[in-house]
Amino acid sequence: MIEIDNVAKYYGSFRVLTDCSTRVAKGEVVVVCGPSGSGKSTLIKTINALEPIDKGDIRVNGVSICSRSTNLSQLRAKVGMVFQNFELFPHLSVIQNLTIAQVKVLGRSQADATERGLKYLDRVGLKAHAAKYPGQLSGGQQQRAAIARALCMDPICMLFDEPTSALDPEMVNEVLDVMVQLAGVRAEPRGFHARGRFRMPQSR
């Protein structure tokens, strides 16, 4: 599903990622943990080319993000991304946040997009808040809305960039519960620990 081969990333002369290589299979849950500045967010953003890489290759469902023939917009539409600061449009209602990309990117009708949006809002426990604006929701509710928005695009994989770091402690569990339910986790997920500049070990 996701193949990362010898990826390196520099910011000027500073090396953030060092020869990162691993494989993530369909349905697998992988957690990357480590201190601030170790390259976790950078690694995640390279997977859908939000951050370009300087060495190596990344393939998502067999498609290389480095190939000139790859349509990155189409690739990103298939890779769900949930940011730590929600990134909801504040001037749109919750349901509008969930339908706008479905209509403009996937070409769905407004009715179909709304139906799907309400389905996923119900799944994350927010259907009753569909008409509200992001500023009327708690941090945990906004993050759950962001998860629902990503799911509406029928992604082949989901990336979560520190999805609970901007939340108050009492809101963390409600978001983690949703993520666990979505993943269907029954055992400890596979994980990597980042120390300093990120160097991911080969997966077995």
Side-chain angles (χ1 to χ4, degrees), residues 138-141 164 166-176:
S138 70
Q141 289 173 329
T164 62
L167 302 178
D168 293 331
E170 63 269 19
M171 298 177 183
V172 170
N173 283 341
E174 67 178 79
V175 173
L176 291 179

Short mmCIF file of all heavy atoms in Angstrom, two decimals, residues 138-141 164 166-176:
data_model
loop_
_atom_site.label_atom_id
_atom_site.label_comp_id
_atom_site.label_asym_id
_atom_site.label_seq_id
_atom_site.Cartn_x
_atom_site.Cartn_y
_atom_site.Cartn_z
N SER A 138 -16.12 22.21 19.94
CA SER A 138 -14.93 22.04 20.77
C SER A 138 -13.78 21.56 19.90
O SER A 138 -13.98 21.14 18.74
CB SER A 138 -15.19 21.02 21.89
OG SER A 138 -15.32 19.72 21.34
N GLY A 139 -12.57 21.57 20.45
CA GLY A 139 -11.42 21.10 19.69
C GLY A 139 -11.56 19.64 19.28
O GLY A 139 -11.26 19.27 18.15
N GLY A 140 -12.04 18.81 20.19
CA GLY A 140 -12.23 17.40 19.88
C GLY A 140 -13.27 17.19 18.79
O GLY A 140 -13.11 16.33 17.91
N GLN A 141 -14.33 17.98 18.84
CA GLN A 141 -15.36 17.89 17.81
C GLN A 141 -14.83 18.34 16.45
O GLN A 141 -15.13 17.73 15.42
CB GLN A 141 -16.58 18.73 18.21
CG GLN A 141 -17.37 18.14 19.36
CD GLN A 141 -18.45 19.08 19.86
OE1 GLN A 141 -18.32 20.31 19.80
NE2 GLN A 141 -19.55 18.51 20.36
N THR A 164 -3.88 14.73 18.02
CA THR A 164 -4.37 15.11 19.34
C THR A 164 -3.49 16.16 20.02
O THR A 164 -3.77 16.57 21.14
CB THR A 164 -4.46 13.88 20.27
OG1 THR A 164 -3.15 13.32 20.44
CG2 THR A 164 -5.38 12.82 19.69
N ALA A 166 -3.07 19.31 19.55
CA ALA A 166 -3.66 20.63 19.78
C ALA A 166 -4.88 20.58 20.69
O ALA A 166 -5.55 21.59 20.89
CB ALA A 166 -4.04 21.26 18.44
N LEU A 167 -5.14 19.41 21.27
CA LEU A 167 -6.34 19.23 22.07
C LEU A 167 -6.04 19.30 23.56
O LEU A 167 -4.96 18.96 24.02
CB LEU A 167 -6.98 17.86 21.76
CG LEU A 167 -7.37 17.60 20.31
CD1 LEU A 167 -7.93 16.20 20.18
CD2 LEU A 167 -8.37 18.63 19.82
N ASP A 168 -7.05 19.73 24.31
CA ASP A 168 -6.96 19.65 25.77
C ASP A 168 -7.00 18.18 26.17
O ASP A 168 -7.59 17.35 25.46
CB ASP A 168 -8.14 20.39 26.41
CG ASP A 168 -8.08 21.88 26.18
OD1 ASP A 168 -6.96 22.41 26.03
OD2 ASP A 168 -9.14 22.52 26.13
N PRO A 169 -6.39 17.83 27.30
CA PRO A 169 -6.30 16.42 27.70
C PRO A 169 -7.64 15.69 27.72
O PRO A 169 -7.72 14.52 27.32
CB PRO A 169 -5.69 16.49 29.11
CG PRO A 169 -4.87 17.75 29.08
CD PRO A 169 -5.65 18.71 28.23
N GLU A 170 -8.70 16.39 28.15
CA GLU A 170 -10.00 15.72 28.24
C GLU A 170 -10.60 15.43 26.88
O GLU A 170 -11.56 14.66 26.75
CB GLU A 170 -10.97 16.54 29.08
CG GLU A 170 -11.31 17.92 28.53
CD GLU A 170 -10.37 19.00 29.03
OE1 GLU A 170 -9.27 18.65 29.51
OE2 GLU A 170 -10.75 20.17 28.95
N MET A 171 -10.07 16.07 25.82
CA MET A 171 -10.60 15.85 24.46
C MET A 171 -9.83 14.79 23.69
O MET A 171 -10.27 14.36 22.64
CB MET A 171 -10.58 17.16 23.68
CG MET A 171 -11.42 18.27 24.26
SD MET A 171 -11.27 19.80 23.31
CE MET A 171 -12.29 20.91 24.31
N VAL A 172 -8.68 14.39 24.21
CA VAL A 172 -7.83 13.46 23.49
C VAL A 172 -8.51 12.11 23.29
O VAL A 172 -8.51 11.55 22.20
CB VAL A 172 -6.48 13.27 24.22
CG1 VAL A 172 -5.69 12.12 23.61
CG2 VAL A 172 -5.66 14.56 24.16
N ASN A 173 -9.11 11.58 24.34
CA ASN A 173 -9.70 10.25 24.26
C ASN A 173 -10.81 10.15 23.24
O ASN A 173 -10.95 9.13 22.56
CB ASN A 173 -10.22 9.80 25.64
CG ASN A 173 -9.09 9.36 26.56
OD1 ASN A 173 -7.99 9.05 26.10
ND2 ASN A 173 -9.36 9.33 27.85
N GLU A 174 -11.61 11.22 23.10
CA GLU A 174 -12.73 11.14 22.16
C GLU A 174 -12.23 11.02 20.72
O GLU A 174 -12.84 10.35 19.89
CB GLU A 174 -13.67 12.33 22.30
CG GLU A 174 -13.10 13.68 21.90
CD GLU A 174 -14.13 14.81 22.03
OE1 GLU A 174 -14.36 15.28 23.16
OE2 GLU A 174 -14.68 15.20 21.00
N VAL A 175 -11.10 11.66 20.43
CA VAL A 175 -10.53 11.55 19.09
C VAL A 175 -9.83 10.20 18.91
O VAL A 175 -9.99 9.53 17.88
CB VAL A 175 -9.53 12.71 18.82
CG1 VAL A 175 -8.80 12.50 17.50
CG2 VAL A 175 -10.28 14.03 18.81
N LEU A 176 -9.08 9.76 19.91
CA LEU A 176 -8.42 8.46 19.83
C LEU A 176 -9.43 7.33 19.69
O LEU A 176 -9.20 6.36 18.97
CB LEU A 176 -7.53 8.25 21.06
CG LEU A 176 -6.28 9.13 21.16
CD1 LEU A 176 -5.52 8.81 22.44
CD2 LEU A 176 -5.38 8.97 19.95
#
